Amino acid sequence: ALCGRRADRAAEVAARAGVPESASDWRAFVRRDDLDIIVVSTPVDLHAEMAIAAAKAGKRVYCEKPVGRDAKEALAMADAADAGGVASAMGYEMRWYPERALVSRLIGNGFLGAPHLAHSSQAAPMYRPGVSSPAQWKLMLGEGGGYVGAVTTHELDHLSWLFGEPETVCADLRTEFPDRMLADGTAFTATAEDVCAIMVRFASGALAVASGSSVSIHSTPYRFDATGSDGTICYTMTPAGPDGFIAAGPAGADRRPLDLVPRTPRSGLMPDPAAANNRNVVATALLLEDWLPALRGEASPVPTLRDGLRVQKIIDAARASSDGAGWVRV
């Protein structure tokens, strides 16, 4: 069943997706006896109330990123899931991209040696005025908007997955285009960032930087690189897929291409390769497969609301740093 704030819109989307029922009262929805899992995929300022209500009703909770507006909300959500004894999952499906899964295995197996520096970067015109018209809340800090929560949260989760617990953060978050206009011509002031550079020190000794822009004139390829005492990993995302190399050993060691073995869902169902977001569809299917043991009370590699809390603590520290606090302890 599908629930949305507008009954007519919910019914339309449900019909198109082949979902047999729709509703608009989410409070009654999360208490239904015939639902086992509640997927919270709403504007961010609604995440906490909905996830907590679902957990209290004994429902397993899958929450889209970012987990909430701040760490206080995220902690309350994680605590509610634990108190209710229900499994939770965060929508960090990018962990299941083949290149990210490979990087995780390599670093987990000590490929880098002692980790030194990692950097992820990307740029796109997704929020650039005149190019796109995002919902107003996506540009408002108090409503959970901003580029960091929309995109960089994936990178902060990725880096934490690779290097462990974050310790301190220094960042610059900027709103380069504060003057905005709705489709009906109403002017408003954006308060959330559209450009960011976030530097994180990890307990493992790694230093990482996640940077990006949502208002660039042109898109730039996603790039990831990591170096350590014994190895190097570097790749760029191209239209044809990830293109990069790994190298380990002494200086001048041979570089090897990324040896990717894409995983497919057990169902065998795959989206059209030309369809928008097809990589995310496959990655989400794999995430859900790997979440199945958690639904039985068993161990699972899927990130939980606690992982969402860890990322939210980094984001909160980044905002405090950008406001002038310098290096901020997580």
Side-chain angles (χ1 to χ4, degrees):
L2 185 146
C3 183
R5 73 175 78 202
R6 285 175 43 195
D8 58 343
R9 176 65 173 159
E12 174 193 337
V13 175
R16 190 167 68 240
V19 176
E21 295 185 47
S22 64
S24 59
D25 181 354
W26 73 261
R27 290 177 175 82
F29 190 83
V30 301
R31 295 194 299 269
R32 285 176 50 159
D33 291 336
D34 60 338
L35 300 180
D36 302 308
I37 298 169
I38 298 297
V39 178
V40 180
S41 183
T42 63
V44 181
D45 60 345
L46 299 173
H47 282 191
E49 186 179 11
M50 291 178 168
I52 291 170
K56 287 182 176 179
K59 309 299 184 184
R60 304 166 178 95
V61 178
Y62 179 106
C63 185
E64 260 303 338
K65 50 75 189 171
V67 62
R69 290 176 292 184
D70 54 38
K72 182 179 179 180
E73 286 189 347
L75 177 60
M77 295 164 68
D79 284 349
D82 289 349
V86 297
S88 68
M90 281 296 304
Y92 287 132
E93 77 282 349
M94 288 185 182
R95 288 194 187 193
W96 280 261
Y97 283 2
E99 66 277 11
R100 296 195 182 203
L102 172 62
V103 168
S104 176
R105 288 195 298 273
L106 289 171
I107 293 178
N109 290 333
F111 184 86
L112 291 181
H116 293 167
L117 176 66
H119 187 196
S120 69
S121 64
Q122 58 191 319
M126 58 184 285
Y127 289 169
R128 187 176 177 86
V131 176
S132 66
S133 299
Q136 184 175 357
W137 74 264
K138 293 186 177 183
L139 303 173
M140 307 304 292
L141 188 59
E143 297 178 44
Y147 179 70
V148 171
V151 176
T152 314
T153 181
H154 277 294
E155 301 310 308
L156 299 176
D157 173 68
H158 184 43
L159 294 168
S160 298
W161 183 37
L162 298 176
F163 301 115
E165 292 303 312
E167 289 194 330
T168 53
V169 175
C170 188
D172 192 351
L173 312 183
R174 301 184 177 189
T175 309
E176 300 289 4
F177 289 94
D179 298 326
R180 296 284 185 159
M181 188 172 294
L182 299 177
D184 63 4
T186 303
F188 71 97
T189 301
T191 56
E193 75 287 334
D194 48 35
V195 171
C196 73
I198 302 174
M199 188 159 45
V200 185
R201 292 171 176 158
F202 291 89
S204 62
L207 175 66
V209 182
S211 63
S213 169
S214 61
V215 292
S216 61
I217 297 178
H218 308 104
S219 294
T220 60
Y222 172 85
R223 180 181 173 88
F224 176 87
D225 55 74
T227 64
S229 60
D230 300 334
T232 300
I233 301 170
C234 178
Y235 72 85
T236 299
M237 181 55 63
T238 71
D243 177 42
F245 70 88
I246 59 175
D254 289 339
R255 298 182 177 190
R256 294 183 284 128
L258 297 178
D259 185 17
L260 298 180
V261 181
R263 178 181 158 195
T264 57
R266 288 200 301 265
S267 66
L269 298 174
M270 293 287 286
D272 181 345
N277 294 323
N278 68 79
R279 277 166 52 87
N280 295 70
V281 172
V282 174
T284 301
L286 298 175
L287 181 159
L288 293 173
E289 281 187 9
D290 288 349
W291 195 33
L292 287 173
L295 307 187
R296 301 188 294 266
E298 301 168 7
S300 165
V302 170
T304 68
L305 289 171
R306 291 282 170 196
D307 294 286
L309 170 62
R310 177 172 62 182
V311 173
Q312 192 60 54
K313 286 181 178 179
I314 299 175
I315 294 174
D316 285 7
R319 297 200 190 286
S321 174
S322 188
D323 286 342
W327 281 98
V328 176
R329 183 161 295 278
V330 175

